[in-house]
Amino acid sequence: MSLINEQQVILGLTADDRHAATRALAETLVATGRCTDLDQFVADVRKREETMATGLPGGIAIPHARSAAITEPTLAFGRPAEGIDWGAKDGPATVVFLIAAPEGASEAHMQVLPRLAKALMKKEFKAALAEATSEDEVVAIVEAEVGEAPVATPAPTPTPAPAAAAAATEPAEAPAASSGLTLVGVTSCPTGIAHTYMAAEALERAAKEAGHTMVVETQGSAGATPLSAAQIAEADAVIFAHDVEVRNADRFAGKPIIDVGVKKAISDGPLLISQAVDKAAEWKADPSKAAAAPAATGSLATKVDEKAGIGTRIRQWLMTGVSYMIPFVAAGGILIALSFLVANQVIEENAQQEIVSYYVGFVDPAVSSAADYTPDPYNLAASFDATSMVYWAALMFVIGGAAFGFLVPILSGFIAFAIADRPGLVPGIVGGFIANTMGAGFLGGIVTGVLGGFAAKWISSWKVHKGVRGVMPVVVTPLLSLLITAGLFITLLGKPIVAAATGLTEWLNGIPPEQALILGAILGAMMGFDLGGPVNKVAYFFATAGLASAGAVSGSTELKVMAAVMAAGMVAPLAMALATVVRPKLFSEPERENGKAAWLLGASFISEGAIPFAAADPWRVILSSVIGSSVTGALALAWGTESPAPHGGVWVAALITHWWLWIAAIVIGVVVMTSIVLILKSRDPKLATVDAAATV
């Protein structure tokens, strides 16, 4: 079946706005059987439009989307007589292509769409469409340019060939052509359908007209042929035109790079080529510029839309921190869960208390070599026994705990990185470590990340003498930004959080035993509030302190409090894991991946498994968590469940009195939290923008 037919052409397109025009064009796809659900497809196109308007310079509009409602790659064409505002700066669109792609189209099937995107950059193609007098003429023009069957036109030459061809046909100008630069680039957009290829065509054409050679790697829906190492090595400069992260960007380390949004390449290709040429000349004249540049951009990358609203940018900063924190959560949490699982199999009594007593400490060689030296059995560095499963369980716990120790510093560091790039890493990571040490938890880490990022960004913007520029990124910026961030947090910002935590502990100790139900709801809410932060830790330490004083006396309030606290602490990660399964489209790709690990983390009483969700969307997740966790805490206490174990989650369920009621309380709280968070997130209009722009 052809890409377009006469039924999918509207020469006299009339509509009040771009959304009405999109619907009119989509109706032609329904009429030809290529769209099975009009409302779904129109909604998918509109979601794409909210991410980035698809109006382009020169009176072109290319609304497009991937959708489950589309059966095959297809087009609809409209030509508004008076033009329709489609978000382009230079005026309304008079040529409109609605581009529709199935969600799971094969690479071969998608090749036709990039050909259309490149054709739209040709003046002669647009002129022919503007002058067409009938629907079948439009179809013929489109098929001749981008049809799936080969057409009787000369085969396109490889990108480097134009300069060589010019030299062959016009020998007199060969010396001029040889003076051109060798450029490379990468283009990409959220859907990878149109902008990716239009930007590539615009850059290649602009480079050719300026007498340069350029090869562009299109990281789009039709697949990409990566630039070879030789092509990158020979390049004088690089142009990134993208709205999603450039894959493997570290390949371009040490090259002068122009980094812009994808639409900039479409509208200002010649300007970007000029900037690349100028930057290449600057680097050639002053090698210190290359030395002062970041060593690589691919291994540490983020894409924050500086033109977006402040709310969207804040979410994107947080998502960047979450993206880099997720591996620490997953690795550390799973190791801790496995350690408890093994411990319960090999230790008869108080397995959790026993395992958490192990540590790694310094062993003085002079002391350990003495004849009367007795190593501490709990120091793994001194007493590890490879034949004992107890020691293997302890080893996993210690390593997992070490990974968890990095959660707040990494979160803070990469929030700062998203704001200020590499200069933000030092104040962010060290500031996060200080926040964690002071007991400020991940909320403190967010504060230090934002503070460190803006401090580094401000210092980096200083206009300094050229003799100082070389040491700014490696000495001055990290030194001063760290001093500002850590100094302010230690002396001013951290104190209120620590004071609040201390006050909460004193208040909880003052609640009388007869108000146990209220106490359960309060403790549950605290466990769900900051997920391993100071408020959470106050509730947990309150429970464990009581457990120590109660011993193993059955029926004591302390055992009931411990059961309620542990149950409530499991709700948030389990609920977020469930939410990503029930409504995956409400979550970004990093969150969906973290949801898979959150099942095990939640089951193991590791509240931190929900931190990535709370850090990315604090008020929705925290509000839902507080309500769901408080319900579980109250029910667990009301039903008289008791736990002699301070940790372990479902792995210690056999030790819990009325364990079936304890599980029921958790399930109810999880359902409550999941329902609330899904309702709140379904009303979030910024999710698509954040998902498209944040690092994944």
Side-chain angles (χ1 to χ4, degrees):
M1 190 178 291
S2 61
L3 192 65
I4 188 171
N5 59 41
E6 290 80 0
Q7 290 177 272
Q8 293 165 208
V9 177
I10 306 177
L11 291 179
L13 179 62
T14 57
D16 294 334
D17 56 30
R18 57 179 171 161
H19 301 303
T22 297
R23 191 174 189 87
L25 291 171
E27 287 172 348
T28 69
L29 304 183
V30 175
T32 56
R34 301 183 181 193
C35 176
T36 59
D37 188 332
L38 176 63
D39 291 336
Q40 177 62 51
F41 176 57
V42 170
D44 290 337
V45 175
R46 188 156 188 163
K47 182 178 179 180
R48 176 66 183 86
E49 289 282 325
E50 289 172 353
T51 302
M52 181 174 64
T54 53
L56 301 172
I60 301 172
I62 50 166
H64 58 277
R66 291 177 179 269
S67 176
I70 298 299
T71 58
E72 64 178 299
T74 189
L75 303 173
F77 175 79
R79 197 172 66 189
E82 299 180 0
I84 298 174
D85 180 15
W86 226 283
K89 294 181 180 179
D90 64 341
T94 55
V95 172
V96 181
F97 272 105
L98 176 63
I99 307 174
E103 272 191 340
S106 67
E107 180 178 320
H109 212 182
M110 292 294 292
Q111 291 292 341
V112 291
L113 300 183
R115 291 204 290 271
L116 170 68
K118 291 188 174 185
L120 285 169
M121 302 307 298
K122 301 178 180 179
K123 296 179 181 179
E124 57 272 21
F125 179 64
K126 291 185 289 184
L129 291 172
E131 296 170 3
T133 59
S134 64
E135 289 81 358
D136 58 350
E137 187 177 352
V138 170
V139 172
I141 293 169
V142 173
E143 288 190 337
E145 189 68 41
V146 300
E148 296 186 67
V151 295
T153 56
T157 55
T159 306
T169 55
E170 302 177 35
E173 296 194 8
S178 65
S179 64
L181 299 184
T182 299
L183 307 175
V184 295
V186 178
T187 60
S188 64
C189 66
T191 57
I193 292 178
H195 290 86
T196 298
Y197 304 98
M198 296 179 75
E201 180 70 12
L203 290 174
E204 289 174 347
R205 280 176 165 258
K208 175 183 176 182
E209 292 170 0
H212 307 295
T213 296
M214 184 165 196
V215 183
V216 178
E217 177 183 314
T218 51
Q219 296 183 353
S221 58
T225 301
L227 292 163
S228 68
Q231 288 173 315
I232 296 173
E234 294 170 0
D236 296 295
V238 181
I239 298 176
F240 289 161
H242 61 130
D243 287 317
V244 294
E245 181 183 351
V246 173
R247 296 193 292 271
N248 301 320
D250 53 325
R251 295 172 292 162
F252 304 91
K255 295 288 182 181
I257 296 174
I258 303 297
D259 193 338
V260 297
V262 69
K263 292 184 74 172
K264 186 69 173 176
I266 299 172
S267 60
D268 293 314
L271 174 62
L272 296 182
I273 296 298
S274 176
Q275 291 176 347
V277 171
D278 291 344
K279 196 164 188 177
E282 289 178 10
W283 282 43
K284 186 175 182 180
D286 185 1
S288 66
K289 292 183 179 295
T297 58
S299 55
L300 299 177
T302 184
K303 191 63 181 175
V304 175
D305 184 2
E306 297 298 338
K307 297 180 181 179
I310 184 62
T312 297
R313 277 183 288 155
I314 290 173
R315 297 262 314 265
Q316 291 169 348
W317 296 336
L318 295 176
M319 276 303 301
T320 299
V322 169
S323 297
Y324 286 99
M325 183 180 69
I326 284 174
F328 292 84
V329 175
I334 291 172
L335 281 171
I336 292 174
L338 290 174
S339 74
F340 287 139
L341 179 63
V342 173
N344 281 325
Q345 301 300 317
V346 298
I347 301 177
E348 294 183 357
E349 297 182 1
N350 301 323
Q352 277 64 50
Q353 295 96 318
E354 179 75 12
I355 287 300
V356 299
S357 299
Y358 286 86
Y359 68 99
V360 175
F362 172 71
V363 179
D364 188 340
V367 175
S368 61
S369 61
D372 59 346
Y373 171 69
T374 301
D376 181 354
Y378 289 102
N379 184 353
L380 292 178
S383 303
F384 182 77
D385 180 0
T387 64
S388 170
M389 292 305 298
V390 173
Y391 277 104
W392 282 108
L395 181 67
M396 288 188 286
F397 177 82
V398 168
I399 296 174
F404 265 40
F406 285 93
L407 296 189
V408 174
I410 293 298
L411 173 68
S412 175
F414 283 94
I415 289 174
F417 170 73
I419 297 171
D421 206 74
R422 287 177 181 267
L425 285 174
V426 171
I429 291 176
V430 179
F433 174 81
I434 291 172
N436 200 39
T437 303
M438 291 179 64
F442 89 92
L443 293 177
I446 291 176
V447 172
T448 56
V450 173
L451 179 60
F454 279 108
K457 189 172 185 178
W458 171 58
I459 295 169
S460 297
S461 68
W462 291 356
K463 303 298 182 183
V464 298
H465 188 274
K466 63 180 181 180
V468 184
R469 289 176 196 162
V471 298
M472 283 293 291
V474 294
V475 178
V476 179
T477 301
L479 172 65
L480 295 182
S481 60
L482 175 58
L483 182 61
I484 292 171
T485 303
L488 284 176
F489 195 83
I490 291 172
T491 59
L492 293 176
L493 302 177
K495 291 181 179 180
I497 298 178
V498 176
T502 303
L504 280 171
T505 301
E506 295 175 352
W507 175 63
L508 288 172
N509 283 321
I511 297 177
E514 60 268 21
Q515 296 180 7
L517 184 62
I518 298 175
L519 177 62
I522 294 172
L523 290 172
M526 292 174 66
M527 291 299 294
F529 177 67
D530 59 353
L531 308 169
V535 177
N536 173 286
K537 286 297 186 284
V538 166
Y540 181 68
F541 290 148
F542 176 78
T544 54
L547 186 66
S549 65
V553 180
S554 178
S556 66
T557 300
E558 289 81 359
L559 292 180
K560 296 176 182 178
V561 166
M562 189 69 253
V565 164
M566 183 154 56
M570 297 165 63
V571 168
L574 289 174
M576 295 312 301
L578 179 61
T580 61
V581 172
V582 176
R583 294 287 303 279
K585 291 187 177 180
L586 294 179
F587 299 89
S588 67
E589 181 61 27
E591 289 175 314
R592 292 193 293 270
E593 287 300 313
N594 192 68
K596 298 174 184 177
W599 286 111
L600 182 57
L601 301 181
S604 304
F605 181 37
I606 299 174
S607 303
E608 287 87 346
I611 287 180
F613 302 96
D617 192 2
W619 83 266
R620 290 180 179 85
V621 174
I622 291 177
L623 175 62
S624 307
S625 177
V626 166
I627 295 173
S629 300
S630 65
V631 168
T632 292
L635 290 177
L637 260 177
W639 291 341
T641 62
E642 303 173 9
S643 175
H647 214 299
V650 296
W651 314 117
V652 297
L655 303 177
I656 296 175
T657 304
H658 307 313
W659 63 266
W660 57 93
L661 293 176
W662 184 75
I663 295 291
I666 295 171
V667 171
I668 292 172
V670 167
V671 171
V672 169
M673 179 181 171
T674 301
S675 302
I676 296 173
V677 81
L678 291 180
I679 292 171
L680 294 178
K681 274 189 167 289
S682 66
R683 300 174 180 272
D684 180 7
K686 296 295 185 181
L687 179 65
T689 303
V690 173
D691 194 11
T695 299
V696 296

